[in-house]
């Protein structure tokens, strides 16, 4: 496995080293996939309390686990501190209804290291020595309001006096199918303490359901003979083959079946005497007959009882590999770990910008490790699932069953997840941002993920990309084209290889998706888009996915800007493809014209009351179109009004020179449509031989919007760009309908509204993906204006910066969230003393869903490295490239 971590998405050209990886979910319970309730209440139908006793239908979960690429055989950690009421086999958290700010994992675990091929993985779990306070967390959070903070595990006192274990799990591959597992237990407390450690091996239950499921397809685990100094669990699977799990002779091997404990859950007889929770009942409750004395089953654990002195440490060694192979736990074992860690170190040294300090290198590495750990095997066959809900493609609509229009959809794939506990299912726009971040570490996987949702097994026949599991038919912002072109460009610049085949495949599928957007989300045919755009959740006055209380419709500044960016990205791709196939010239012209219409719709000639641009305020707003045709601007200064800035793309002259008919066609277009002359002149502006700019904002508008964006009294936080202007803290926007007030005020942290659920707030916090798009636009605009255009940054400071410097300033503020400040404090942890002062906590970085708009504290999902991993991409861009890489270039005549 030499240099495996350096090579592609899988580690070798055969793809073999992809076989085993961190593809196990952190939470399978409470998902739509596992919901067979009549009313569609997924959280209640399959709660955490059922998870230890009930076999899953579509996937598996575990602590710090790995599995094969089809999740047939799983290996993960289980623990018991001698006080908990249940075995700790999976992370606990609150459901959406239980949390005062929505669903929320209540554990401390960290993805510390990973290579792209999973040749080395490192995970840390912090386990209290006191009984885990399950009931307390539910009760206290349930009694709090949306205006109060969440009640966290640290608040319960179970980590006081350092009475906890640090349990570190590492995996190192000796070969593609030979995986070493090392578990290190550190007792951080002042007294000796006992911990039960149960590395657990089990098969995903595929034999109890499905048309091909029979007793003959049921795999089996059993104790087998092995070397005298080890104990062996043999795993025989009809598809995967035979594997051995070796562990020390001190382990007690416990066997049961991955079958539902119907007696406990439903009061009926179970199908087998040995059920899913049998090992837990045996260890925790001392029940002697819940494990199979014949040492056979479909779930097994190697039970170790460790008594660890105060401040001491114990280590366990295990190894999973082909049955009958020489799987030693001594000879060469340490060397494998040493070599894999050295390779990982070398890999990240190469990725880290030369001038980065130790702490910056740490943050970048943990960000990318979190992205690589967030891969998950995602199985979901919608036709089967819907049939199991008594629905066929010809059934009449029925309430309580989601996604009934998606019978075609089938997933049997490894997918990058937003957060494997909080959001253990793909989300379309998240995945695009994931690909941008993953391009820094694994180009092959990044491209694979972008193509995934465009396959015919995902993409709807009507052209829609599925949004996310709770409602595939919802709409996420269309960022796939931008991400695809970005990843293509990264590969081209870093490897010299231009993957036109990838770009062309992506473009052809996106053509159908673009057509879907134009047909479905521009109902008036005026190139002004509406219809949800759930990507900005509760940022607006009204619930954008529900009928408006006023009637009428909402014409969205952000939705229209998203489509302008979509056009620009498709135009960029078409310009690349036309190099090899002149047939794409027509599509270049198609997207130029599309863009001009969309851009012009946002700011038509004259000061009109129904356009999205407000000349008096110098900002873009949504427009509420009332049933009688009147138009009202909703003057909320938010990310909605900043997104038109993001629809800015520079084209190099040599790209356009290849299109001999472009100039003539644009002249004809302008003659036919004089109302678009302003937009067209902006697109054609620039120095002779210099780049061309397509931008919704001209220089005058750009400066006006930037004056708000860069104001520390409005959008510019010490930690990036806020989603809502701080102006609304003292001046909330209100709108009255039928005697009821609708209100938007600045909220730097959690939401106080139930709109779109509790754990989503765009009314003030900093969001990495939107900041990344703003930075991207500033770099493009710098590529046009160069050093000649400067603005005050921050507004009112008297300090003038060019647009590259402005982008760099925003990036610096974002990275500041994660880096230690002069007092050794990482803002992401919001002043929590343990994370600031304790050597066992202070270098552990979590990459949250979003961040407090004033102090940078992490909020929302705590392991959403997916798009927050973009911080690693920003660190690479600004640590490696200077302004020369973006300055305007001219071609000599």
């Amino acid at each position: 496995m030499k240099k495996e971590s350096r090579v592609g998405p899988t580690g070798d050209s055969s793809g073999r080293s992809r076989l085993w990886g961190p593809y196990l979910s952190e939470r399978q319970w409470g998902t739509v996939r596992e919901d067979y309730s009549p009313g569609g209440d997924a959280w209640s139908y399959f709660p955490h309390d059922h998870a230890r006793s009930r076999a899953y239908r579509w996937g598996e979960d575990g602590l710090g686990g790995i599995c094969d690429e089809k999740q047939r055989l799983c290996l993960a950690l289980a623990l018991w501190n001698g006080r908990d009421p249940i075995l700790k086999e999976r992370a606990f958290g609150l459901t959406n209804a239980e949390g005062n700010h929505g669903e929320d994992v209540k554990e401390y675990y960290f993805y510390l290291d990973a290579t792209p091929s999973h040749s080395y993985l490192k995970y840390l779990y912090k386990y209290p020595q006191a009984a885990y306070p399950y009931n307390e967390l539910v009760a206290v959070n349930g009694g709090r309001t949306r205006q109060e903070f969440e009640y966290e595990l640290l608040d319960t006192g179970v980590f006081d006096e350092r009475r906890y274990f640090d349990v570190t799990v590492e995996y190192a591959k000796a070969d593609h199918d030979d995986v070493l597992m090392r578990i290190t237990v550190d007792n951080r407390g002042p007294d000796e303490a006992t911990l039960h450690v149960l590395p657990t091996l089990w098969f995903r239950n595929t034999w109890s359901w499905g048309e091909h499921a029979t007793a003959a397809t049921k795999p089996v685990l059993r104790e087998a003979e092995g070397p005298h100094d080890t104990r062996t669990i043999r795993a025989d699977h009809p598809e995967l083959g035979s594997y051995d799990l070796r562990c020390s002779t001190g382990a007690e091997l416990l066997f049961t079946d991955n079958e539902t404990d119907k007696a406990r859950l439903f009061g009926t007889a179970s199908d087998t005497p040995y059920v899913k929770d049998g090992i837990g009942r045996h260890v925790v409750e001392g029940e002697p007959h819940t494990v199979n004395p014949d040492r056979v089953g479909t779930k097994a654990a190697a039970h170790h009882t460790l008594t660890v002195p105060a401040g001491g440490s114990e280590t366990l060694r295990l190894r999973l590999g082909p049955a009958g192979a020489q799987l030693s736990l001594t000879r060469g074992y340490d060397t494998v770990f040493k070599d894999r860690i050295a390779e990982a170190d070398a890999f990240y040294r190469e990725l880290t910008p030369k001038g980065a300090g130790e702490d910056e290198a740490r943050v970048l590495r943990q960000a990318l490790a979190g992205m690589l750990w967030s891969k998950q095997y995602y199985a979901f066959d919608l036709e089967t699932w819907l049939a199991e809900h008594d629905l066929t493609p010809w059934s009449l609509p029925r309430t309580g069953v989601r996604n009934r229009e998606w019978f075609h959809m089938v997933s049997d794939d490894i997918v990058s997840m937003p957060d494997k506990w909080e959001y253990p299912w793909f989300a379309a726009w998240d995945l695009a941002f994931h690909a941008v971040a993953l391009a820094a570490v694994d180009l092959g996987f990044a491209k694979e993920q972008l193509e995934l949702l465009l396959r015919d097994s995902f993409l709807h026949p009507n052209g829609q990309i599925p949004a996310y599991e709770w409602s595939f038919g919802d709409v996420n912002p269309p960022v796939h084209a931008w991400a695809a072109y970005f990843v293509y460009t990264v590969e081209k610049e870093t490897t010299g290889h231009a993957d036109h085949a990838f770009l062309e495949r992506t473009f052809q599928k996106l053509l159908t998706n673009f057509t879907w957007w134009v047909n479905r989300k521009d109902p008036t045919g005026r190139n002004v888009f509406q219809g949800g755009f759930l990507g900005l959740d509760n940022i607006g006055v009204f619930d954008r996915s529900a009928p408006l209380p006023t009637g009428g419709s909402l014409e969205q500044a952000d939705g229209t800007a998203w489509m302008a960016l979509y056009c620009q990205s498709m135009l960029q791709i078409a310009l690349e493809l036309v190099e090899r196939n002149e047939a794409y010239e027509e599509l270049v012209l198609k997207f130029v014209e599309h863009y001009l219409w969309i851009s012009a719709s946002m700011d038509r000639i004259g000061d009109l009351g129904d356009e999205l641009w407000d000349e008096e305020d110098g900002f873009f707003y949504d427009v509420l179109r009332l049933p009688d045709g009147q138009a009202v601007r909703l003057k909320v200064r938010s990310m909605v009004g900043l997104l038109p800035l993001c629809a800015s793309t520079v084209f190099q002259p040599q790209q356009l020179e290849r299109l001999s008919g472009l100039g003539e066609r644009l002249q004809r277009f302008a003659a036919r449509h004089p109302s678009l002359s302003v937009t067209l002149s902006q697109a054609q502006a620039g120095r002779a031989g210099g780049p061309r700019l397509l931008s919704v904002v001209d220089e005058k508008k750009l400066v006006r919007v930037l004056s708000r964006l860069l104001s520390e009294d409005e959008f510019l936080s010490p930690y990036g760009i806020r989603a809502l202007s701080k102006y609304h803290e003292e001046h909330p926007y209100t709108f009255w309908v039928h005697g009821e007030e609708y209100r938007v005020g600045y909220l730097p942290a959690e939401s106080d509204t139930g709109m779109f659920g509790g754990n989503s707030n765009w009314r003030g916090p900093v969001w990495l993906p939107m900041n990344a798009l703003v930075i991207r636009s500033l770099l493009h605009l710098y590529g046009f204006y160069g050093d000649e255009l400067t603005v005050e940054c921050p507004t009112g400071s008297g300090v003038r910066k060019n647009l590259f410097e402005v982008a760099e300033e925003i990036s610096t503020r974002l990275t500041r969230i994660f880096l230690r400040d002069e007092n050794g404090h990482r803002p992401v942890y919001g002043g929590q003393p343990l994370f600031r002062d304790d050597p066992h906590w202070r270098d552990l970085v979590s990459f949250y869903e979003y961040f407090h708009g004033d102090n940078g504290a992490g909020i929302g999902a705590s392991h959403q490295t997916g798009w927050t991993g973009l911080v690693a991409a920003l660190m690479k861009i600004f640590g490696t490239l200077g302004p020369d890489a973006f300055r305007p270039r001219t071609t000599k005549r």
Side-chain angles (χ1 to χ4, degrees):
M1 288 217 24
K2 291 182 179 179
K3 296 186 179 178
E4 181 202 16
S5 61
R6 293 178 181 272
V7 185
T10 57
D12 58 34
S13 58
S14 71
R16 295 184 308 163
S17 53
R18 178 186 180 139
L19 177 59
W20 293 92
Y23 311 139
L24 203 61
S25 178
E26 303 287 356
R27 177 177 64 83
Q28 183 71 10
W29 59 272
T31 61
V32 170
R33 301 189 296 289
E34 300 296 337
D35 180 20
Y36 287 81
S37 67
D41 187 352
W43 286 108
S44 298
Y45 176 76
F46 204 135
H48 176 269
D49 183 56
H50 285 201
R52 67 184 182 275
S53 305
R54 188 167 167 180
Y56 294 125
R57 172 69 173 89
W58 294 98
E60 295 290 338
D61 56 18
L63 289 179
I66 63 169
C67 64
D68 70 275
E69 61 184 347
K70 297 299 181 183
Q71 205 174 84
R72 293 161 289 204
L73 183 60
C74 309
L75 175 63
L77 187 66
L79 303 166
W80 186 52
N81 58 13
R83 294 180 173 85
D84 279 357
I86 61 174
L87 200 64
K88 176 65 72 173
E89 296 179 274
R90 57 189 53 79
F92 172 74
L94 306 178
T95 70
N96 186 273
E98 290 171 338
N100 61 322
H101 293 288
E103 65 267 32
D104 186 20
V105 69
K106 296 298 185 185
E107 306 273 14
Y108 295 105
Y109 59 95
F110 304 88
Y111 303 129
L112 296 182
D113 214 349
T115 59
S117 59
H118 321 306
S119 59
Y120 180 67
L121 297 165
K122 187 176 183 180
Y123 164 100
L124 171 65
Y125 177 72
K126 290 183 175 287
Y127 188 39
Q129 294 171 5
Y132 188 94
Y134 292 100
N135 294 333
E136 181 181 348
L137 287 166
V138 174
V140 176
N141 279 288
R144 293 192 173 186
T145 68
R146 291 186 183 277
Q147 287 70 38
E148 295 178 279
F149 290 117
E150 296 168 348
Y151 186 63
E152 303 292 3
L153 186 57
L154 274 175
D155 299 329
T156 68
V158 294
F159 288 97
D160 290 356
E161 299 180 306
R162 292 186 178 174
R163 294 185 183 274
Y164 68 92
F165 298 103
D166 269 342
V167 185
T168 304
V169 182
E170 298 169 278
Y171 299 96
K173 290 184 180 178
D175 204 343
H176 72 281
D177 56 358
D178 182 359
V179 186
L180 286 64
M181 181 185 195
R182 184 166 68 186
I183 303 170
T184 305
V185 177
D186 291 286
N187 178 3
R188 302 301 184 196
D191 300 311
E192 179 183 87
T194 297
L195 179 65
H196 298 257
V197 183
L198 298 95
T200 303
L201 188 71
W202 75 101
F203 292 112
R204 178 166 64 94
N205 189 329
T206 56
W207 56 87
S208 295
W209 29 61
E211 58 181 336
H212 302 297
T214 66
T217 65
K218 186 175 181 178
V220 64
L221 300 172
R222 67 181 188 277
E223 185 171 12
E225 291 187 5
H228 67 89
D229 59 344
T230 64
R231 300 195 71 176
T232 301
I233 299 173
R234 174 69 52 83
D236 291 315
H237 192 282
E239 295 176 1
L240 185 62
S242 296
Y243 276 78
D244 283 345
L245 177 67
R246 296 273 165 79
C247 53
S248 69
T249 55
E252 176 191 16
L253 301 187
L254 304 173
F255 290 80
T256 188
D257 280 305
N258 186 14
E259 301 273 9
T260 298
D261 185 350
K262 295 181 179 178
R264 173 182 176 256
L265 296 178
F266 311 121
T268 60
S270 298
D271 297 334
T272 171
Y274 308 109
V275 289
K276 184 176 178 180
D277 56 15
I279 293 172
R281 288 165 56 190
H282 177 80
V283 173
V284 176
E285 300 171 25
E287 297 185 37
H289 305 302
T290 59
V291 294
N292 193 331
D294 295 330
R295 294 191 173 89
V296 65
T298 50
K299 178 181 178 181
H303 180 200
H304 305 77
T305 304
L306 305 179
T307 299
V308 190
S313 177
E314 294 286 345
T315 299
L316 299 176
R317 298 178 173 198
L318 297 96
R319 189 165 185 170
L320 179 67
Q326 297 297 315
L327 305 175
S328 175
L329 299 182
T330 55
R331 188 175 62 256
Y333 187 96
D334 291 335
T335 300
V336 172
F337 270 100
K338 181 180 177 181
D339 289 348
R340 296 297 89 81
I341 291 171
E343 290 170 7
D345 289 344
F347 176 72
Y348 280 103
R349 273 197 304 272
E350 193 172 302
L351 280 181
T352 305
K354 300 302 181 189
E358 179 184 355
D359 199 39
E360 291 172 296
R362 178 184 296 111
V363 169
L364 182 144
R365 186 165 180 168
Q366 289 188 32
L368 294 174
M371 300 229 44
L372 296 170
W373 266 97
S374 294
K375 298 178 182 181
Q376 179 184 315
Y377 173 72
Y378 185 81
F380 202 11
D381 182 332
L382 265 293
E383 184 168 12
T384 298
W385 186 83
L386 288 165
E388 291 167 350
H389 289 72
D390 298 320
L391 281 175
T392 71
W394 300 276
S395 300
L396 294 174
R398 196 175 80 219
T399 59
V401 181
R402 292 181 169 85
N403 301 320
R404 65 169 307 276
E405 300 86 5
W406 294 80
F407 275 88
H408 74 285
M409 190 172 156
V410 180
S411 176
D412 183 35
D413 303 279
I414 304 298
V415 186
S416 177
M417 296 292 151
D419 179 315
K420 289 204 295 187
W421 192 94
E422 201 118 2
Y423 306 120
W425 26 260
F426 73 86
W429 81 312
D430 295 63
L431 199 56
F433 288 111
H434 297 186
V436 169
L438 283 163
V441 68
D442 193 341
L443 275 164
F445 186 67
K447 292 193 295 184
E448 190 179 291
Q449 293 298 286
L450 286 170
E451 291 198 80
L452 179 71
L453 298 190
L454 301 177
R455 293 193 326 220
D456 58 4
S457 57
F458 281 81
L459 189 71
H460 198 281
N462 66 18
Q464 185 178 10
I465 293 174
Y468 62 115
E469 185 174 281
W470 288 87
S471 180
F472 290 130
D474 276 345
V475 287
N476 278 173
V479 289
H480 251 67
W482 162 71
Y485 184 75
F486 178 93
V487 171
Y488 164 83
T489 303
V490 169
E491 182 174 29
K492 185 177 179 181
E493 293 178 352
T494 57
T495 70
H497 171 62
D499 193 346
H500 285 94
F502 158 74
L503 204 59
E504 187 165 20
R505 289 193 304 270
T506 305
F507 183 79
Q508 292 297 334
K509 293 297 185 72
L510 287 171
L511 277 175
T512 64
N513 179 245
F514 183 86
T515 303
W516 178 87
W517 278 101
V518 171
N519 289 340
R520 297 296 185 95
K521 298 302 175 182
D522 176 22
T524 64
R526 295 166 47 248
N527 296 289
V528 180
F529 289 81
Q530 53 187 267
F533 287 88
L534 297 186
L536 297 185
D537 290 336
N538 59 16
I539 202 168
V541 183
F542 307 115
D543 185 333
R544 290 163 135 208
S545 66
L548 297 174
T550 61
S553 59
L554 191 66
E555 298 175 349
Q556 297 176 224
D558 58 318
T560 309
W562 285 123
M563 291 303 293
L565 176 61
Y566 199 171
C567 279
Q568 292 173 0
S569 301
M570 293 294 277
L571 175 55
Q572 286 179 302
I573 295 173
L575 283 169
E576 287 288 329
L577 296 177
V578 80
E579 290 184 27
R580 295 194 171 195
N581 187 344
E582 64 182 15
Y584 282 97
E585 184 167 333
E586 279 296 315
L587 290 169
V588 170
L589 299 170
K590 163 189 168 69
F591 283 106
V592 169
E593 292 187 7
H594 260 301
Y595 165 77
L596 292 173
W597 281 110
I598 293 171
S599 179
S601 74
M602 301 188 75
D603 180 22
R604 305 190 305 282
I605 295 176
D607 186 13
L608 306 175
D610 66 344
E611 60 187 355
L612 304 175
W613 171 256
D614 188 292
E615 179 62 27
E616 181 181 359
D617 288 2
F619 207 70
F620 289 92
Y621 298 115
D622 283 347
V623 169
L624 177 63
R625 182 74 62 175
L626 298 171
D628 62 2
Q630 293 185 63
V632 180
R633 287 199 193 103
L634 302 176
K635 294 195 173 185
V636 180
R637 295 212 282 269
S638 73
M639 188 62 72
V640 165
L642 297 180
L643 266 166
L645 184 74
C646 298
S648 301
T649 301
V650 167
F651 296 88
Q652 298 305 321
Q654 60 269 27
Q655 292 178 291
L656 304 177
E657 287 168 359
R658 291 189 290 268
L659 304 174
S660 57
L662 179 61
E664 181 182 346
R665 178 149 172 180
L666 288 178
Q667 288 177 1
R668 293 200 308 269
F669 184 80
R672 290 198 313 273
H673 309 289
S675 63
L676 302 184
S677 59
V678 174
T679 303
L680 186 56
S681 66
Q682 289 171 207
Q684 293 177 315
R687 297 176 179 176
R692 296 292 182 263
L693 172 68
L694 286 187
S695 177
V696 170
V697 293
D698 60 12
E699 184 175 341
K700 180 181 176 183
K701 291 186 178 68
L702 170 63
V703 170
R704 295 190 71 186
V705 172
L706 286 178
S707 70
R708 294 197 184 281
L709 185 148
L710 298 175
S711 169
E712 292 180 319
D713 294 326
E714 292 215 38
F715 288 100
L716 186 61
S717 158
Y719 305 99
I721 302 301
R722 302 177 175 103
L724 187 74
S725 171
K726 196 175 173 67
Y727 169 84
H728 291 301
E729 185 172 39
E730 296 183 4
H731 307 89
Y733 180 81
T734 59
F735 194 93
W736 289 85
V737 180
H738 307 312
E740 184 176 354
E741 181 188 48
Y742 292 81
R743 179 186 179 95
V744 176
Y746 173 73
L747 297 167
E750 299 283 13
S751 173
D752 65 359
T753 173
M755 193 186 298
F756 290 103
N759 203 12
S760 225
N761 181 25
W762 292 85
R763 299 192 174 192
V766 171
W767 294 75
L768 257 292
M770 305 310 298
N771 274 256
L773 285 178
V774 169
I775 289 170
R776 175 253 180 210
S777 71
L778 290 168
L779 293 175
H780 271 270
L781 290 163
Y782 177 72
F784 181 76
Y785 291 108
D787 296 321
E788 294 180 3
L789 178 62
T790 63
V791 294
E792 275 192 311
C793 180
T795 301
S797 67
V799 177
R800 301 195 70 83
K801 296 183 177 182
N802 63 41
L803 299 185
F804 176 87
E805 292 167 333
V806 171
E808 189 173 36
E809 173 67 23
I810 296 171
S811 179
T812 298
R813 292 181 182 227
L814 290 169
T815 56
R816 189 183 295 160
I817 292 171
F818 308 98
L819 298 171
R820 289 184 190 168
D821 63 18
E822 61 277 8
N823 298 314
H825 170 229
R826 299 183 195 276
V828 62
Y829 284 120
Q832 172 55 251
L834 195 63
F835 280 99
R836 182 186 64 220
D837 303 326
D838 194 301
H840 302 302
W841 294 75
R842 66 188 180 200
D843 287 336
L844 305 173
V845 185
S846 289
F847 299 87
Y848 283 79
E849 186 178 2
Y850 49 98
F851 302 88
H852 194 288
D854 295 337
N855 63 33
I859 317 169
S862 56
H863 293 77
Q864 193 153 345
T865 321
W867 64 20
T868 298
L870 287 164
V871 69
L874 295 175
M875 293 172 78
K876 278 185 62 64
I877 288 171
F878 289 100
T880 305
L881 303 175
D884 287 345
F886 301 95
R887 278 198 179 96
R889 299 189 299 275
T890 58
T891 55
K892 295 182 179 180
R893 300 286 181 181

